Amino acid sequence: MIKRLAEEIKKKEAPIVVGLDPMLSYIPDDIVKKAFAERGESLEGAAAAVLEFNKGLLDAVSDLIPAVKPQIAMYEQFGIPGLQAFKETVDYAHEKGLVVIGDVKRGDIGSTSAAYATAHLGTVKVGGQELTPFGEDIATVNPYLGTDGIKPFLDVCNSHDKGIFVLVKTSNPSSGEFQDRIIDGRPLYEWVAEKVNEWGALSMDGDYSNVGAVVGATYPEMGAALRKIMPKAYILVPGYGAQGGRGKDLKGFFNEDGLGAIVNSSRGIIAAWKKDDYAGMSYQDAARKAVLDMKEDLKEAF
Amino acid sequence: MIKRLAEEIKKKEAPIVVGLDPMLSYIPDDIVKKAFAERGESLEGAAAAVLEFNKGLLDAVSDLIPAVKPQIAMYEQFGIPGLQAFKETVDYAHEKGLVVIGDVKRGDIGSTSAAYATAHLGTVKVGGQELTPFGEDIATVNPYLGTDGIKPFLDVCNSHDKGIFVLVKTSNPSSGEFQDRIIDGRPLYEWVAEKVNEWGALSMDGDYSNVGAVVGATYPEMGAALRKIMPKAYILVPGYGAQGGRGKDLKGFFNEDGLGAIVNSSRGIIAAWKKDDYAGMSYQDAARKAVLDMKEDLKEAF
């Protein structure tokens, strides 16, 4: 799957993933009102607003980008109807030809991790049928439980041509509490990175591995160091824009071929219409313009 | 919420939580066949079998135990219908008066972690309504992202009288890859335990904190050490039975008052009917007998 993602990035000339992390406050009033009128002030109503908003965003920006990253928490908070909207967002993004990165940060052990891998990347056997539960292409995974938690995902990566991004160094202010602690002279996140290499060797796909890494844009020096430690891992870079990351800071996350990283922006694109820079534009026009502006800004990374 | 859990444990004289982690292979053929006949060999059919099985288990054992712990991965693998069965299992367990621990191992940052806390423990505002997405009482949480990932859960613990169990030392063989690494003379899991104390102080509920810890039964010496490091944290102990833990090994997880820990068994109870020990019994009778046997075995812990 990582080979396909890299090809799409080259084709679109955009190492950009749009985070579909809708809050109700990001959605224009007319969409929310229509959804509430049709489905009530209910989980169903909220989910309908989210789905309508997402479809509008996908219509506006799909031709510019290789991938989207729906953050499942934002859907899970609306219960079953919210997760139905997540699934329909995945399906609609696929109709638009996009790679879908499920930002699910799952991680457990043994048969439980296998069930998560099945849920998000695989197929489940029910009687004589093989069925697709959610059907993302790539999922984010938490490494705290070690190899037992990752191995079942690798199996599905290999059997179904899928990928994972393992949390290595997250973008948040307190990520250092555990991730930066020094073990035998190196921070924990570097030890996780070494494991990403080890796991990644078990699922190569072209020049890169189906096992990538999440490294926050907010830590550019660590990003540059991790880029060298994990030469075969694609790096998913959250924290651009709203969290403070800027294109010129991101050079170190990329390899010399201009590949090896994909930068996420969520709020900066999907809620662009609420910013002064895009005043007066529709949410769709604002999102499109924000993607183009981000593309321009990222050119400084090369 | 931890106060209520401790009271239920005392009342039932059973520091036991039954893990509702149904695999289709654990469910008797007649239930599966009936579900497939009614709903097809589909995600809906699988989910119907799971729900019917869970209800039968809850009918059989609810009077003996204080809590159940559905593992959401096992439901998520059946997509939306599976998650609907999860929600209905939570509701049915509540009807039976049980505390419900959602084994969801969620963890993210800022507004995303807040959305997970809302999804599993809180209520979500939609227009003028406050709605309950999944409505568990306690959730398991992954600490890798640090305080930013935990704080939103603490807010919901305090506003909605809920609890969390933070992964400290997990029961799996490879848990040591990161968790046991030595930082300033102490393993990482002890540093996580120190944070559990710090977070726990922000949500006390009687003698214990709403912030508990997950420590695997498979590591009894570490359990005893962690018991002392986190005197106010309830410990959720997975890995009993099928994974190898035994009652006599678990003494160190409890405080001298016989409280402070709750031991989970999943397969050993819900799939007891498949074991030679319970041959010829219905799955419900076998589960009930397995709970009584576990209760007896755990007496050795005191």
Side-chain angles (χ1 to χ4, degrees):
Chain A
M1 177 53 67
I2 203 69
K3 192 174 163 187
R4 193 185 141 214
L5 179 63
E7 280 166 2
E8 294 291 329
I9 289 171
K10 277 189 275 192
K11 202 167 75 183
K12 305 275 180 79
E13 296 181 330
I16 291 176
V17 52
V18 173
L20 294 175
D21 311 354
M23 311 258 264
L24 284 183
S25 61
Y26 297 170
I27 306 179
D29 271 350
D30 57 330
I31 293 178
V32 174
K33 277 184 187 152
K34 178 165 168 276
F36 285 179
E38 285 172 12
R39 314 294 301 269
E41 289 185 355
S42 59
L43 298 177
E44 288 77 9
V50 164
L51 183 60
E52 173 81 6
F53 178 63
N54 283 352
K55 285 185 170 180
L57 288 167
L58 287 164
D59 290 343
V61 303
S62 293
D63 62 313
L64 302 176
I65 57 170
V68 286
K69 181 175 75 64
Q71 165 53 260
I72 201 169
M74 295 301 172
Y75 303 82
E76 218 162 298
Q77 70 179 334
F78 298 119
I80 304 294
L83 287 159
Q84 180 68 37
F86 177 84
K87 171 77 176 109
E88 290 182 41
T89 297
V90 172
D91 292 346
Y92 195 73
H94 279 154
E95 282 176 36
K96 295 278 175 182
L98 298 172
V99 173
V100 179
I101 302 169
D103 197 353
V104 300
K105 296 191 178 64
R106 300 303 195 245
D108 208 293
I109 61 174
S111 58
T112 308
S113 228
Y116 278 133
T118 293
H120 293 284
L121 303 177
T123 52
V124 64
K125 197 170 154 54
V126 177
Q129 307 293 315
E130 282 282 337
L131 305 166
T132 302
F134 286 99
E136 299 107 290
D137 302 304
I138 301 179
T140 55
V141 178
N142 188 304
Y144 189 67
L145 296 96
T147 298
D148 298 336
I150 303 296
K151 187 67 176 40
F153 281 92
L154 296 182
D155 294 341
V156 175
C157 286
N158 288 328
S159 62
H160 288 69
D161 188 23
K162 301 284 183 168
I164 58 173
F165 285 107
V166 177
L167 303 187
V168 172
K169 171 67 188 172
T170 55
S171 62
N172 54 312
S174 76
S175 69
E177 282 178 6
F178 303 124
Q179 297 166 25
D180 293 2
R181 297 299 301 268
I182 301 298
I183 296 164
D184 287 346
R186 302 176 71 186
L188 171 59
Y189 64 77
E190 289 196 7
W191 292 107
V192 177
E194 294 289 355
K195 281 284 174 190
V196 165
N197 281 340
E198 198 181 309
W199 299 325
L202 304 175
S203 188
M204 288 300 296
D205 183 31
D207 295 335
Y208 288 92
S209 168
N210 284 320
V211 181
V214 175
V215 183
T218 40
Y219 299 102
E221 287 171 27
M222 297 173 185
L226 287 163
R227 172 69 288 158
K228 292 191 174 64
I229 293 171
M230 306 178 291
K232 300 293 184 194
Y234 241 85
I235 300 180
L236 171 64
V237 188
Y240 173 89
Q243 286 182 56
R246 280 283 154 243
K248 61 184 166 49
D249 304 322
L250 301 180
K251 193 173 165 55
F253 289 82
F254 290 84
N255 279 321
E256 286 180 9
D257 57 4
L259 293 172
I262 183 164
V263 182
N264 180 77
S265 178
S266 301
R267 206 182 334 163
I269 290 170
I270 69 173
W273 66 279
K274 301 190 83 169
K275 290 165 66 179
D276 289 345
D277 296 357
Y278 306 99
M281 299 175 80
S282 73
Y283 83 98
Q284 291 174 295
D285 288 347
R288 189 172 177 86
K289 182 69 170 53
V291 169
L292 292 169
D293 288 348
M294 181 177 174
K295 212 170 149 177
E296 200 60 33
D297 179 51
L298 283 182
K299 279 194 183 155
E300 297 191 42
F302 304 111
Chain B
M1 177 53 66
I2 203 68
K3 191 173 164 188
R4 190 184 144 213
L5 179 63
E7 280 165 4
E8 293 292 328
I9 289 171
K10 278 190 274 191
K11 200 166 78 183
K12 305 277 181 79
E13 295 180 331
I16 291 176
V17 51
V18 173
L20 295 176
D21 311 354
M23 312 258 265
L24 284 182
S25 61
Y26 297 169
I27 304 179
D29 271 351
D30 56 332
I31 293 178
V32 175
K33 278 184 186 152
K34 178 164 168 277
F36 286 179
E38 286 172 10
R39 313 293 301 267
E41 289 185 355
S42 59
L43 297 177
E44 288 77 8
V50 164
L51 183 60
E52 173 81 7
F53 179 62
N54 282 353
K55 285 185 170 179
L57 288 167
L58 287 165
D59 291 342
V61 304
S62 293
D63 61 313
L64 302 176
I65 56 171
V68 287
K69 181 175 75 64
Q71 166 51 261
I72 201 168
M74 295 303 172
Y75 303 82
E76 217 162 300
Q77 70 179 333
F78 298 119
I80 304 294
L83 287 159
Q84 179 68 38
F86 177 84
K87 170 77 176 113
E88 290 182 41
T89 297
V90 172
D91 291 346
Y92 195 74
H94 279 154
E95 283 176 36
K96 295 280 176 181
L98 297 171
V99 173
V100 179
I101 302 169
D103 198 353
V104 299
K105 295 189 179 66
R106 301 301 195 248
D108 208 293
I109 61 175
S111 58
T112 310
S113 228
Y116 278 133
T118 293
H120 293 285
L121 303 177
T123 52
V124 65
K125 196 169 154 56
V126 178
Q129 307 293 314
E130 281 283 337
L131 305 166
T132 302
F134 285 99
E136 300 106 290
D137 302 304
I138 301 178
T140 56
V141 178
N142 188 305
Y144 189 67
L145 296 96
T147 298
D148 298 336
I150 303 297
K151 186 64 178 41
F153 281 93
L154 296 182
D155 294 342
V156 175
C157 286
N158 288 329
S159 61
H160 289 69
D161 188 23
K162 301 284 182 168
I164 58 173
F165 286 108
V166 177
L167 304 186
V168 171
K169 172 66 187 172
T170 57
S171 61
N172 54 312
S174 75
S175 68
E177 282 177 8
F178 304 122
Q179 297 165 26
D180 293 3
R181 297 300 300 269
I182 302 296
I183 296 164
D184 288 345
R186 302 175 72 185
L188 172 59
Y189 63 77
E190 290 196 6
W191 292 108
V192 178
E194 295 289 355
K195 280 283 175 191
V196 166
N197 282 341
E198 198 181 308
W199 299 325
L202 304 175
S203 188
M204 289 299 296
D205 184 31
D207 294 335
Y208 287 93
S209 168
N210 284 320
V211 181
V214 175
V215 183
T218 41
Y219 299 102
E221 287 171 26
M222 297 173 187
L226 287 164
R227 173 69 289 159
K228 291 190 173 67
I229 293 171
M230 304 178 291
K232 300 292 183 194
Y234 241 83
I235 300 180
L236 171 65
V237 189
Y240 174 88
Q243 286 181 57
R246 279 284 155 244
K248 63 182 167 47
D249 304 322
L250 301 181
K251 192 173 167 52
F253 290 82
F254 290 85
N255 280 321
E256 287 180 10
D257 56 4
L259 292 172
I262 183 163
V263 183
N264 180 77
S265 179
S266 301
R267 205 182 336 162
I269 290 170
I270 70 173
W273 67 279
K274 301 190 84 170
K275 290 166 67 179
D276 289 346
D277 296 357
Y278 305 99
M281 299 174 80
S282 73
Y283 83 97
Q284 291 174 294
D285 288 347
R288 188 172 177 86
K289 181 71 168 54
V291 169
L292 292 168
D293 289 348
M294 181 177 173
K295 211 170 150 177
E296 200 60 34
D297 180 49
L298 283 183
K299 281 195 183 156
E300 296 190 41
F302 304 111

